[in-house]
């Protein structure tokens, strides 16, 4: 657990909880879990190894490193570089600025998946959008690729002007 006004951390750990202050992770390996709570502010530099599950329940994080599984319950996560394998959202905001990178699977039960904050191309393999979720695909350039479509159970979607979308009916048994 790290607290304080500014903590610069370079370590190899299994589990980490960041509760307050500002923490800068450089060349850090987190094997099992990372929990970020309010009012922590975390900066994850490029080159960190995040193989465990990450949960943000408040506060904010800016990441330049790839992560496997991220759960956003509240707060703000900004991904400025690298890929994300699995994103599960229940609230909060995931701001995806990672140009030329892939978000493999995004499930947005609630919260705001914002892919429109910068004009760079991005790829999302698959999105599931719940009734309380919001998805922004309007980055002004219509260059966000959704490879396997969006499964929607309500929610809101904003597209770039000029985007093309095909709707496929699904048979309900």
């Amino acid at each position: 657990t790290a607290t304080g006004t500014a903590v610069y951390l370079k370590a190899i750990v299994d589990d980490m909880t960041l509760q307050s202050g500002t923490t800068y992770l450089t060349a850090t390996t987190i094997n099992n879990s990372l929990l970020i709570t309010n009012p922590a502010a975390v900066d994850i530099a490029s080159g960190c190894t995040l193989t465990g599950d990450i949960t943000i329940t408040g506060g904010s994080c800016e990441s330049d490193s790839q992560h496997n599984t991220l759960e956003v319950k509240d707060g703000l996560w900004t991904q400025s570089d690298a890929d994300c394998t699995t994103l599960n959202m229940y609230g909060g905001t995931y701001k995806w600025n990672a140009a030329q990178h892939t978000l493999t699977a995004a499930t947005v039960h609630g919260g705001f998946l914002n892919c429109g904050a910068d004009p760079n191309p991005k790829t999302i393999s698959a999105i599931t959008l719940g009734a309380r979720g919001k998805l922004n695909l309007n980055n002004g350039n219509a260059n966000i690729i959704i490879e396997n479509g969006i499964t929607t159970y309500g929610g809101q979607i904003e597209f770039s002007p000029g985007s093309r979308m095909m709707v496929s009916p699904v048979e309900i048994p």
Side-chain angles (χ1 to χ4, degrees), residues 141-158:
N141 288 334
N143 59 359
I144 298 174
I145 297 168
I146 312 295
E147 293 178 332
N148 297 309
I150 301 170
T151 302
T152 181
Y153 300 95
Q156 299 175 23
I157 304 172
E158 180 179 345

Side-chain angles (χ1 to χ4, degrees), residues 18 22 27 48 50 52 82 97 101 103 109 128 138:
L18 302 172
T22 302
C48 290
L50 307 171
N97 296 340
H101 287 283
L103 174 56
H109 301 283
T128 301
N138 182 1

Side-chain angles (χ1 to χ4, degrees), residues 30-148:
I30 300 172
N31 293 317
N32 293 333
S33 69
L34 170 63
L35 172 63
I36 301 168
T37 65
N38 197 39
V42 181
D43 189 328
I44 302 174
S46 178
C48 290
T49 304
L50 307 171
T51 57
D53 295 341
I54 302 170
T55 303
I56 181 168
T57 62
S60 63
C61 182
E62 178 146 349
S63 177
D64 289 331
S65 287
Q66 178 174 335
H67 51 277
N68 292 332
T69 303
L70 173 64
E71 188 171 276
V72 180
K73 293 184 176 181
D74 199 1
L76 169 64
W77 183 284
T78 302
Q79 187 69 27
S80 298
D81 199 10
D83 296 334
C84 173
T85 305
T86 303
L87 172 64
N88 295 308
M89 295 190 66
Y90 299 92
T93 299
Y94 184 88
K95 190 174 174 185
W96 193 32
N97 296 340
Q100 305 293 333
H101 287 283
T102 300
L103 174 56
T104 305
T107 302
V108 185
H109 301 283
F112 180 39
L113 174 53
N114 185 1
C115 302
D118 71 64
N120 295 308
K122 299 167 185 64
T123 301
I124 303 173
S125 297
I127 300 173
T128 301
L129 182 64
R132 295 180 301 110
K134 186 174 177 183
L135 176 60
N136 179 9
L137 299 173
N138 182 1
N139 70 351
N141 288 334
N143 59 359
I144 298 174
I145 297 168
I146 312 295
E147 293 178 332
N148 297 309

